[in-house]
Amino acid sequence: MTTTTALTQEALFDQPPDRPARRPRRLPPGRLTMQVLLYVLLILLAIIYIFPFLVQVATSFKTDNEATTDAVSLIPATVSFAAYERLFTRSDFPLWFANSAVVTVLVTLGRVFFVSLAGYALARLRFRGRGFVFAMVVGVMAVPSVVLLIPKFLVLNQLGIYDSYAGMVIPLLVDAAGVFIMKNFFESIPPSVEEQARIDGAGTFRIFWSIVLPMARPAVVTIVILSFQGSWNELSHFIVSTQSPELTTLTKGVASLASGQLSQGNQYPLKLAAAAIMTIPVAVMFFIFQKRIMNTTEGAVKE
Amino acid sequence: MATAAPASHRSRSSGGIRRGEGAAGWLFTLPIVVILGLFLFIPVLMALWVSFSDWSGRGSPLSSTVSFIGLDNYAAITTGGGLAERNFGIALRNNAWYVLLVVPLQTALSLFLAVLVNRAVLRGRGFFRTAFYFPSVTSSVAITVLWLFLFSTTGVINEVLSWIGIAGPNWFNDPRGIVHIALGAGGEPGPAALTSGQFLGVTWWDWLAGPSVAMTAFILMAVFTTSGTFMLLFLAALQNIGAELSEAAMMDGANAWQRFWLITLPQLRPTLFTVLTLGLIGCWQVFDQIYTGTQGAPGKTTITPAYLSYTSAFTDQQWGIGAAISFILFLIIIVFTVFQRWALRERAVSMRRRRPYEQAVAAAAAARGKEAP
């Protein structure tokens, strides 16, 4: 289907179908109306998508009473910091935040290292059993995570790392999609550079660490984003791998806040403040690497 | 899966320079293999055993006191006639409606957003892309907390509805199915023809209830949080499609609607299938939202198989039942994935589809000829 398209285009046009050169031209009145309508529609949709988050931030500064009586207003009648004060001084929220941060940093660092190692081996090194390892990684992608809740708990228990940082971090260190991304990227790097280093007598790990990995920065950034988001937003794995309050992460803590002890229909400022703070790190990450996320093809092409 | 291609032997002729590569290969992939083995393969095998055993959660499931009970756990949730079967039926009913509504809605909306953003010729493309994608970055827990507030009785949604004279429902506390509401059957039992027969402990009348009002709020949430991600997939595909065909069709006098249906959409088919499959697989795994938001309330109408599997095991200590539910869910997801593989297979374009396409190509060639100096 797609190949036929490409073929006909190649055959028809003497040059590859790039973006045609923009000729400055005035839009006819009908087209102009269409453009205006298009923008009106886009702005309306954007408001629908952004408004919930604005209300969320506004409500976190309202009093409990105002949050129930006047939910829509974006400017609190009386600005109150009670929710934040309570979160940071009279709750476990800072501890949850710290736990989430520790786990996220460990998982991200470990995942980048292991996933790029394996991706390099599968892309470049020839060893007996490579097919088996690859099949294993493919098989993993087929298993949905919710199916693993009970079994993961059983194994963590057997290994004696239930309710510990090890049990929280280690199972999250490997991500099949990441292995694929790295493998594809390494395959796109011409092997001549490595051949040169090999002739100069560099060992395999040395080649990987000081030559290939620095070249793979775009793919590494992609993995960092994916694992940061993934582990920061993870809930189900922490539910089945921990039980003690000292190891509660943000997701688990805020979920208990939403459903458990304080769910009497009010307390909205407190809950929304917690949810808002929880969103900040991923939002910051998102805005820093926005270009990389938005151009999904960029990770596949060497810069 | 083919690995040892003959080509690999040629590169080996470079003598001892590739010495030690086998060992390095194993060393490099060892961490992955160990972690996947420990936390994926062994767990799945262990859970499979638990689903066929009478393990009660005490001690190790591999100890000698635990015995093999065959398909009893599976029978209990599919033909048992008890509470376990009824709960499983309800969970399947809830999730099936969820899938039925979320998948088409999120696909249509993300495609719509992608086409709109793609057509924006002035500026602001980046802003709109960011605005639509942002909900996808936030965690399911944070979004659920926000949703509980937006859809509360006195929340933003009901207030906005009241501006246009609609008295909004008590969203997360309303167990009525929306199909029943539409039929005007607010709570009274349905017609005898539909209430007498049943499947998985749920009467036909209840199967047809539609998602409850509470589940509908979750459905809207799923559409809100996933449309941005899928929009990006569609946008990438749209940008790879040259504008020539569309322009040629425009020359031929095709209106925007025809251009979209006959020119753009057929070219988006691979992406469309990807989005549908990812959507289907994701929609069968609803857990975080339920755990955070409603815990299956009101009236069990937001229980999903994933959540039921978790509560059966961790709350009710019926580990065998919980594991059995998760394997049935696994099967459901595999069936959908295989179906997608089958649907995605290479197929020739049908004649009916090809005609307008070929006309467009011919027109493009003609238009190209006119433009040539």
Side-chain angles (χ1 to χ4, degrees):
Chain A
M1 161 86 229
T2 43
T3 48
T4 51
T5 324
L7 277 177
T8 45
Q9 284 188 341
E10 294 263 330
L12 282 173
F13 312 132
D14 40 359
Q15 61 211 55
D18 259 348
R19 215 168 277 167
R22 279 258 168 77
R23 283 189 304 275
R25 56 165 192 256
R26 264 181 316 169
L27 290 170
R31 290 293 307 279
L32 189 67
T33 324
M34 279 300 289
Q35 276 293 318
V36 171
L37 279 177
L38 173 75
Y39 273 89
V40 168
L41 188 59
L42 274 172
I43 289 165
L44 275 178
L45 283 165
I47 289 173
I48 292 174
Y49 272 75
I50 297 171
F51 190 73
F53 297 103
L54 298 179
V55 167
Q56 175 180 21
V57 175
T59 307
S60 68
F61 291 108
K62 288 176 186 172
T63 59
D64 278 18
N65 193 9
E66 197 192 337
T68 359
T69 52
D70 186 11
V72 180
S73 70
L74 287 181
I75 296 148
T78 45
V79 177
S80 133
F81 293 93
Y84 289 93
E85 189 225 351
R86 183 165 169 202
L87 272 186
F88 283 106
T89 58
R90 286 177 290 131
S91 80
D92 283 341
F93 191 82
L95 172 75
W96 301 343
F97 197 97
N99 278 333
S100 273
V102 167
V103 169
T104 302
V105 168
L106 289 176
V107 168
T108 305
L109 289 176
R111 212 189 264 187
V112 166
F113 184 64
F114 289 144
V115 157
S116 48
L117 264 182
Y120 180 68
L122 290 174
R124 279 281 192 271
L125 307 178
R126 283 174 193 79
F127 57 100
R128 194 166 296 174
R130 188 168 77 156
F132 163 75
V133 173
F134 191 72
M136 197 165 160
V137 174
V138 173
V140 172
M141 294 186 88
V143 181
S145 57
V146 286
V147 172
L148 287 169
L149 287 184
I150 298 170
K152 258 199 294 203
F153 166 78
L154 299 176
V155 167
L156 289 169
N157 241 344
Q158 287 283 334
L159 294 172
I161 53 173
Y162 174 72
D163 211 19
S164 71
Y165 278 117
M168 289 161 83
V169 172
I170 297 171
L172 294 180
L173 284 180
V174 171
D175 158 59
V179 176
F180 271 96
I181 292 171
M182 290 315 285
K183 176 177 176 283
N184 289 341
F185 192 87
F186 287 133
E187 277 170 349
S188 74
I189 295 179
S192 52
V193 185
E194 295 155 71
E195 302 289 340
Q196 294 280 4
R198 207 180 280 283
I199 289 164
D200 287 346
T204 311
F205 185 78
R206 177 76 196 278
I207 293 174
F208 163 77
W209 187 251
S210 30
I211 295 170
V212 186
L213 201 56
M215 286 168 91
R217 185 173 301 163
V220 169
V221 169
T222 307
I223 305 287
V224 168
I225 295 167
L226 287 178
S227 49
F228 185 94
Q229 261 186 36
S231 43
W232 184 267
N233 292 341
E234 177 68 49
L235 169 70
S236 56
H237 172 66
F238 299 137
I239 291 175
V240 299
S241 63
T242 59
Q243 62 178 21
S244 59
E246 300 82 65
L247 291 178
T248 304
T249 57
L250 264 182
T251 41
K252 212 177 145 182
V254 175
S256 71
L257 203 69
S259 59
Q261 63 268 41
L262 300 166
S263 211
Q264 303 104 353
N266 42 22
Q267 299 268 18
Y268 282 126
L270 182 76
K271 294 175 191 171
L272 291 174
I277 295 171
M278 185 173 169
T279 309
I280 290 170
V282 266
V284 167
M285 196 81 178
F286 167 67
F287 286 117
I288 291 175
F289 294 114
Q290 200 181 0
K291 278 221 162 59
R292 172 95 45 223
I293 299 172
M294 290 305 181
N295 298 339
T296 33
T297 50
E298 212 174 329
V301 183
K302 211 174 60 159
E303 290 171 339
Chain B
M1 278 314 96
T3 45
S8 68
H9 291 298
R10 223 177 312 136
S11 55
R12 236 173 247 181
S13 59
S14 51
I17 209 145
R18 288 192 166 274
R19 211 175 11 155
E21 215 174 90
W26 268 108
L27 208 62
F28 279 26
T29 49
L30 192 67
I32 298 255
V33 171
V34 168
I35 294 174
L36 289 184
L38 267 184
F39 296 105
L40 210 108
F41 280 96
I42 296 173
V44 168
L45 292 178
M46 219 161 151
L48 201 57
W49 159 247
V50 168
S51 76
F52 291 112
S53 78
D54 59 359
W55 186 58
S56 62
R58 287 222 185 77
S60 162
L62 304 173
S63 71
S64 55
T65 52
V66 179
S67 47
F68 178 80
I69 55 168
L71 287 168
D72 284 9
N73 288 321
Y74 290 89
I77 50 178
T78 50
T79 56
L83 185 66
E85 186 201 352
R86 191 174 150 65
N87 280 343
F88 183 64
I90 289 173
L92 270 189
R93 190 266 320 255
N94 298 340
N95 214 334
W97 281 108
Y98 181 92
V99 169
L100 201 66
L101 286 165
V102 170
V103 173
L105 281 175
Q106 73 187 7
T107 309
L109 180 64
S110 53
L111 180 55
F112 179 67
L113 291 178
V115 170
L116 282 190
V117 171
N118 199 44
R119 289 199 52 170
V121 288
L122 304 173
R123 48 194 51 94
R125 206 187 255 206
F127 165 76
F128 291 121
R129 239 173 12 180
T130 306
F132 299 143
Y133 182 69
F134 187 72
S136 316
V137 214
T138 56
S139 82
S140 48
V141 174
I143 285 279
T144 307
V145 170
L146 176 57
W147 230 245
L148 290 172
F149 166 71
L150 293 178
F151 284 79
S152 62
T153 323
T154 57
V156 175
I157 300 290
N158 280 0
E159 200 161 324
V160 172
L161 284 176
S162 72
W163 296 343
I164 46 175
I166 300 174
N170 189 347
W171 291 93
F172 281 111
N173 297 309
D174 194 338
R176 293 174 304 159
I178 58 172
V179 175
H180 279 185
I181 294 177
L183 294 173
E188 63 263 31
L194 290 171
T195 47
S196 53
Q198 58 173 36
F199 174 61
L200 288 177
V202 179
T203 63
W204 294 116
W205 173 245
D206 285 339
W207 274 102
L208 296 172
S212 68
V213 176
M215 193 54 132
T216 308
F218 280 127
I219 286 170
L220 293 172
M221 181 168 112
V223 173
F224 178 73
T225 50
T226 53
S227 50
T229 314
F230 293 146
M231 172 197 73
L232 287 187
L233 290 179
F234 279 127
L235 259 179
L238 280 170
Q239 274 155 10
N240 286 336
I241 294 177
E244 285 80 6
L245 282 179
S246 265
E247 282 170 5
M250 209 191 298
M251 296 277 185
D252 265 10
N255 62 30
W257 198 238
Q258 287 169 318
R259 287 202 305 275
F260 175 76
W261 280 106
L262 299 172
I263 311 290
T264 313
L265 203 58
Q267 295 184 80
L268 285 177
R269 242 185 59 171
T271 318
L272 195 63
F273 276 125
T274 308
V275 167
L276 284 173
T277 312
L278 290 175
L280 272 174
I281 293 173
C283 282
W284 278 108
Q285 300 192 56
V286 189
F287 174 84
D288 291 10
Q289 302 89 309
I290 313 298
Y291 177 91
T292 308
T294 55
Q295 291 89 49
K300 293 186 183 174
T301 56
T302 58
I303 289 183
T304 60
Y307 185 73
L308 183 67
S309 142
Y310 166 81
T311 49
S312 303
F314 288 84
T315 315
D316 308 338
Q317 294 294 312
Q318 294 179 310
W319 293 86
I321 300 245
I325 292 172
S326 70
F327 277 103
I328 295 180
L329 180 60
F330 192 15
L331 268 181
I332 291 174
I333 292 170
I334 287 179
V335 165
F336 275 113
T337 315
V338 168
F339 172 76
Q340 167 258 345
R341 278 281 151 111
W342 173 80
L344 255 178
R345 72 195 191 283
E346 283 290 316
R347 263 186 300 201
V349 188
S350 71
M351 281 313 287
R352 197 174 55 82
R353 275 268 168 76
R354 194 182 303 162
R355 209 169 305 123
Y357 173 77
E358 276 170 353
Q359 283 167 359
V361 171
R368 201 75 181 174
K370 270 182 220 149
E371 270 180 36

